[in-house]
Structures are given as structure tokens and as C-alpha cells.
């Protein structure tokens, strides 16, 4: 049976080799329902080791991607992710938007590039606390979803 539910775990910028291995061991020993697609997103530095050691049925995602190869120091591109055999990428994190200044227009480009590379995308949307308190949640989420939708073909 194909999965009917999806669950993902984003490790953000947490962990080290030992804690990553311990988490993979726990995942590998877990009783996971067959109808749930499980995706884990370790820090990029650990993604290939997680992919090599996690059991079949648990997929790996990168936590972000850049749209093209080139002189972009520190970036991991959609082509690199595809080449590594990692099937998923997470795009649109609030900290990417608010700490690093990534725009809705860039999210459109990122989802377009990820789709062209054959990657599955977990799209993140959400408002800041100040936006929620101002009653702007729906407006913010609709704007962010529209940016992703504009990049899907």
C-alpha cells in the first residue's frame, strides 16, 4: 500500500555525529506504520551519512537548496541534492525568510528549480508572532502559498 500520510522531522542546526547516529538508530528500531511516509532532514553535513544508514522506507531531505550551481559560497544546490540521490528538499523556512532575507520571489524560483531537478518539496509557510497578533495570518500564508504555486508547473 502506498503511504497516505506524511511526517517529517527537521533537525535544523542541531546535533553532531554521535547524536545523529543515535537518532538514526532510534528511527531504524521504530515501529513505523506502513501507510506513513517518513522524511528526516538532518543538517546538510550529515545528510549522506544518514541516507547511508537509515533503513529503507525513511527518506532524507535537505533543509534548503539554492537554485543554480556557481560561485555561491556555502550553498547546496538542487543539482547537488539530485546528484547525491536525496529525494526531498524543504523550502521556505521562516528563519530563511526572516534571518537571511529570502523573499517570496526567491521561493518561486527555488520550487521551480527543485521541481526541474526532480526533487520532492516540503514547502514551509507561516507568520511571525507580530503578524499573528496583528490578525494577518491568513494574508501572510496565502501570499507565501501563492509564491510557491507560481513556481509549480
Amino acid at each position: 500500500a502506498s503511504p497516505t500520510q506524511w511526517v517529517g522531522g527537521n533537525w535544523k542546526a542541531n546535533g553532531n555525529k554521535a547524536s545523529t547516529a543515535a537518532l538514526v538508530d532510534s528511527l531504524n528500531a521504530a515501529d513505523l506504520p506502513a501507510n506513513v511516509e517518513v522524511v528526516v532532514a538532518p543538517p546538510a553535513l550529515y545528510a549522506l551519512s544518514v541516507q547511508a544508514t537509515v533503513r529503507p522506507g525513511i527518506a532524507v531531505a535537505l533543509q534548503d537548496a539554492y537554485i543554480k550551481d556557481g560561485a555561491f559560497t556555502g550553498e547546496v544546490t538542487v543539482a547537488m541534492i539530485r546528484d547525491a540521490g536525496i529525494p526531498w528538499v524543504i523550502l521556505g523556512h521562516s528563519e530563511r525568510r526572516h534571518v537571511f532575507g529570502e523573499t517570496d520571489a526567491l521561493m518561486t524560483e527555488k520550487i521551480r528549480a527543485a521541481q526541474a531537478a526532480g526533487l520532492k518539496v516540503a514547502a514551509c509557510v507561516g507568520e511571525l508572532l507580530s503578524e499573528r497578533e496583528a490578525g494577518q495570518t491568513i494574508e501572510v500564508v496565502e501570499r507565501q502559498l501563492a509564491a510557491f504555486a507560481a513556481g509549480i508547473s
Side-chain angles (χ1 to χ4, degrees), residues 104-119:
D104 289 335
L106 182 57
M107 291 310 110
T108 300
E109 292 182 58
K110 283 186 173 194
I111 199 164
R112 188 174 289 136
Q115 185 179 32
L119 300 176

Side-chain angles (χ1 to χ4, degrees), residues 18-68:
S19 64
T20 296
L23 190 48
V24 168
D25 288 345
S26 293
L27 288 165
N28 287 343
D31 182 19
L32 303 173
N35 68 331
V36 177
E37 183 170 8
V38 177
V39 180
V40 296
L45 186 62
Y46 304 121
L48 289 176
S49 66
V50 169
Q51 183 166 274
T53 55
V54 77
R55 77 177 198 213
I58 299 174
V60 175
L62 261 277
Q63 297 177 9
D64 189 42
Y66 194 62
I67 56 177
K68 60 185 176 182

Side-chain angles (χ1 to χ4, degrees), residues 1 3 6 8 14 32 34 42-43 54-55 57 69 75-77 81 97 99 111 126 140 152:
W6 186 93
N14 294 299
L32 303 173
V54 77
R55 77 177 198 213
D69 293 338
E75 294 296 321
V76 178
T77 69
I81 297 169
R97 294 172 186 271
V99 175
I111 199 164
V140 169
I152 297 173

Side-chain angles (χ1 to χ4, degrees), residues 127-146:
E127 79 285 11
L128 295 169
L129 177 60
S130 60
E131 293 166 328
R132 182 181 320 144
E133 290 172 344
Q136 299 172 330
T137 298
I138 299 299
E139 176 187 330
V140 169
V141 171
E142 284 178 344
R143 186 194 78 237
Q144 292 173 352
L145 287 171

